[in-house]
Amino acid sequence: MLKLRSSGLSCGVCANFRIPIPRCYMNSITTSSIDVKPKVPLYLRPPSFSASLSELTKWHKWAKNLASSVGSSFINLDNGPDSTLLRRELNWLLQDLIELQYRSVILSRLESGNNENPDVSVALRAPLEEMYCVWRQRIEKRRPFQYVVGCEHWRDLVLSVQEGVLIPRPETEVIIDLVEGVALNNAPELAQSFWADLGTGSGAIAIATARALATHARGDACGRVIATDLSSVAVAVATSNVQRYGLQDVVEVRKGSWFEPLKDVQGKLAGVLSNPPYIPSGDISGLQAEVGQHEPILALDGGISGTNDLLHLIDGVASMLKPGGFFAFETNGEQQCKFLVEYIENEKPGSFRDMNIVSDFAGIQRFVMGFRR
C-alpha cells in the first residue's frame, strides 16, 4: 500500500450518519472458537500470476471507461461515488495488483499509453479474469472498494476487511484520540490495566488502543485489550489483524455479545470503548448502496431511535469499569449524545464524573465520554 486511502463511503442519509464498527449482537454466545478463515487482502497475496502489458492495458482501458460511464449518477442517486473517485480507486487497485518491483514503471506506461514492448510479462497478485469480475462488481453492484481489495487504511494501520465486517470510518479514529489525549493523559495508571473494545469488527479500536497503551506504559507494566464480537467473521478477521501486527499477547479476541464474554473482568476494566449500531431503523433504506446492500445491516440498525445498543452499553458499563475507569461511545450525532447524557444523569446518578460530548472531524457532536466515580 502506498498511501492512505479513502473511498468516500458514507451512509448517504444525512451528514450526521457515520458507520460503526461491527456490533456484538444481543444473543448470548460466549465460545471463543474461530470457525471462519479470513481472506487475504490483495496487496498481501504473492505475485503468482502474470499478464502481458497489452492485456493489462486492455483491462485498464475497459475499467477506466466503465468508471467514467458513471459520471455523477451515483451522487444523484444516493450520494455515492462519482467517476473521479472511481478512477482514483482504479489506480489504487492497480497499486495493489502489480508486483512491487516494477509497479511505478508499469503504472506510468499505463497512464501514458506507451505501447512499447506490449508482450512484456507483468507479475500480478491476482489473475486478470478476477480483476474483470471484481471491477464489474464495484461499478454495477456497488460493492465497496474496501471489499474489492480486502483492506482499509485507518489511522496508521492497514486492516483486513471483507463481507460480514463493517469498514472502519475515519471518524472513529477520534475514540483513540480520546484514549490518548484524555484518559491516559489524565490518569496514566489506566495504561496498565484491562480495556475492552465491544463490537470490535476488524479490530481497529482494539489494535490502536493496545498500541496507545504500550506508548503510555510505565516500565514493563502494559495494559491489555479484550475485543468482543458475536460475528464469527468479525472474530476471525480481528484475530488475523491482531496477529499481523504482532499483538496477540496484548489483544485477546473473544466471541460473544457485548459484556457477556467479560464476566471474568467485571469491575476491573480501566476502559470500555465501542462504536455500536446507532442508525434508526427507518433510515436504513436510505443508505448509500455500498453500505445498505453490502455491509451487515444488523451492524447498522440501532432500533427505532437508533439507541437500543447504546443504552445497553450505558446500562452495563457502570458495573464493568473500576473506579476511575474511562468510557467512550460513538453515536449518530448531537441528538443521541444529549439523550445519552440525560439518561446517565437521570438513571445512573452518581455513577460517572467528567462526562462530555465530543465532536468528530466535521464538527458534528459524535461521542459521549466519561469516567467512573
Side-chain angles (χ1 to χ4, degrees):
M1 295 294 182
L2 297 183
K3 63 180 74 175
L4 179 66
R5 308 190 300 201
S6 174
S7 70
L9 280 179
S10 66
C11 288
V13 181
C14 72
N16 280 351
F17 288 142
R18 295 295 187 274
I19 307 305
I21 289 175
R23 64 180 290 182
C24 285
Y25 311 124
M26 296 301 296
N27 299 324
S28 178
I29 298 179
T30 57
T31 176
S32 60
S33 63
I34 299 176
D35 51 13
V36 176
K37 185 177 181 180
K39 299 178 181 178
V40 179
L42 180 59
Y43 84 104
L44 288 178
R45 299 184 201 175
S48 304
F49 304 90
S50 65
S52 68
L53 181 58
S54 63
E55 291 172 330
L56 184 60
T57 300
K58 180 181 178 181
W59 172 81
H60 179 247
K61 182 178 180 180
W62 167 82
K64 195 171 183 179
N65 287 338
L66 193 60
S68 298
S69 69
V70 170
S72 60
S73 59
F74 293 167
I75 290 182
N76 298 331
L77 182 64
D78 57 14
N79 198 31
D82 63 3
S83 289
T84 300
L85 178 55
L86 290 170
R87 287 193 295 266
R88 192 179 307 142
E89 290 181 358
L90 177 59
N91 185 55
W92 292 333
L93 178 58
L94 280 166
Q95 292 179 28
D96 286 4
L97 174 66
I98 300 172
E99 192 267 334
L100 179 61
Q101 184 176 2
Y102 300 108
R103 177 191 296 163
S104 59
V105 174
I106 298 301
L107 289 176
S108 177
R109 293 184 64 173
L110 288 174
E111 287 300 322
S112 65
N114 186 341
N115 295 319
E116 184 179 353
N117 298 323
D119 295 328
V120 67
S121 181
V122 181
L124 304 175
R125 301 184 188 280
L128 275 186
E129 292 82 2
E130 180 181 336
M131 292 299 99
Y132 275 104
C133 179
V134 297
W135 192 247
R136 190 179 296 277
Q137 291 174 347
R138 176 68 188 108
I139 305 299
E140 298 180 358
K141 301 296 184 182
R142 304 282 301 275
R143 186 186 181 200
F145 177 73
Q146 291 88 342
Y147 289 166
V148 170
V149 295
C151 68
E152 170 65 324
H153 292 247
W154 192 82
R155 282 183 82 86
D156 56 346
L157 305 171
V158 182
L159 299 164
S160 298
V161 293
Q162 65 187 62
E163 276 81 358
V165 176
L166 282 185
I167 300 161
R169 265 53 175 190
E171 291 79 11
T172 307
E173 297 179 13
V174 173
I175 288 182
I176 309 304
D177 295 336
L178 295 177
V179 170
E180 294 188 298
V182 178
L184 298 182
N185 276 351
N186 292 334
E189 68 277 4
L190 296 179
Q192 303 173 18
S193 302
F194 285 100
W195 287 64
D197 169 23
L198 305 182
T200 193
S202 65
I205 290 177
I207 293 171
T209 299
R211 288 154 68 103
L213 296 180
T215 300
H216 289 76
R218 296 176 177 177
D220 296 330
C222 181
R224 296 183 59 198
V225 181
I226 303 173
T228 71
D229 205 300
L230 182 60
S231 165
S232 295
V233 178
V235 169
V237 170
T239 299
S240 176
N241 283 324
V242 167
Q243 292 173 345
R244 189 152 53 82
Y245 281 96
L247 295 172
Q248 57 269 24
D249 294 332
V250 183
V251 180
E252 179 184 358
V253 184
R254 298 182 181 181
K255 187 178 180 183
S257 172
W258 298 125
F259 299 106
E260 285 296 319
L262 302 176
K263 294 178 180 179
D264 60 322
V265 291
Q266 184 170 357
K268 302 176 182 178
L269 292 175
V272 175
L273 312 170
S274 186
N275 183 1
Y278 50 59
I279 297 176
S281 301
D283 294 323
I284 296 296
S285 62
L287 297 177
Q288 186 185 93
E290 281 81 356
V291 179
Q293 296 177 18
H294 295 277
E295 299 193 70
I297 296 301
L298 286 178
L300 299 169
D301 193 342
I304 294 177
S305 66
T307 59
N308 286 3
D309 298 292
L310 283 163
L311 290 175
H312 181 74
L313 293 176
I314 294 296
D315 287 339
V317 73
S319 65
M320 298 302 299
L321 287 173
K322 67 180 184 179
F326 175 79
F327 77 89
F329 301 145
E330 183 168 333
T331 77
N332 184 40
E334 179 179 356
Q335 184 175 354
Q336 286 188 0
C337 283
K338 291 181 177 179
F339 172 77
L340 289 178
V341 170
E342 292 177 2
Y343 180 83
I344 292 172
E345 292 174 344
N346 294 329
E347 301 297 327
K348 310 290 178 183
S351 296
F352 301 98
R353 62 173 174 82
D354 299 331
M355 287 186 299
N356 197 12
I357 294 174
V358 180
S359 297
D360 62 18
F361 301 132
I364 299 171
Q365 293 184 341
R366 178 73 60 194
F367 306 92
V368 174
M369 52 149 283
F371 292 84
R372 183 75 167 92
R373 287 191 183 275

